[in-house]
Structures are given as C-alpha cells and as structure tokens.
Amino acid sequence: MTGANGDGVNERVFYRNDEPANRVDGDQRTTFMYGNGQPLAQREESDGPKS
C-alpha cells in the first residue's frame, strides 16, 4: 500500500480472503473493495476537521 498519510506506528490492516479489506492508521481509515480478485474501489476517510 502506498500513499499512507499516517505515521504507520499504529497502523492496523484487516484482511478478507487474503486481500486487504480495511486499514486504520490513527484517524485515517481506508476500505478496499475487490471483485474476482481485482481491485475495484478504495474509499478513504478521516476524523479531521469538517468545514
């Protein structure tokens, strides 16, 4: 995985069927979606300030 915004110290990665499903790194959360073994989408969210 590339482009991580956090420091990686407290990063946790959760897998589904040997593929990364979710990554949590501080207030950054990333969800990965796969179909037939191919990456389809990635969603990122943060607890940062909202405007």
Side-chain angles (χ1 to χ4, degrees), residues 1-48:
M1 288 178 254
T2 61
N5 292 330
D7 59 12
V9 174
N10 294 315
E11 180 180 84
R12 293 175 287 170
V13 179
F14 301 90
Y15 292 85
R16 180 183 307 123
N17 299 327
D18 296 326
E19 297 168 338
N22 295 290
R23 182 183 73 189
V24 179
D25 187 4
D27 68 346
Q28 300 287 323
R29 292 175 302 283
T30 307
T31 300
F32 303 94
M33 290 162 258
Y34 290 83
N36 294 325
Q38 298 295 313
L40 299 176
Q42 176 178 323
R43 177 180 180 208
E44 297 181 3
E45 54 185 308
S46 173
D47 289 336

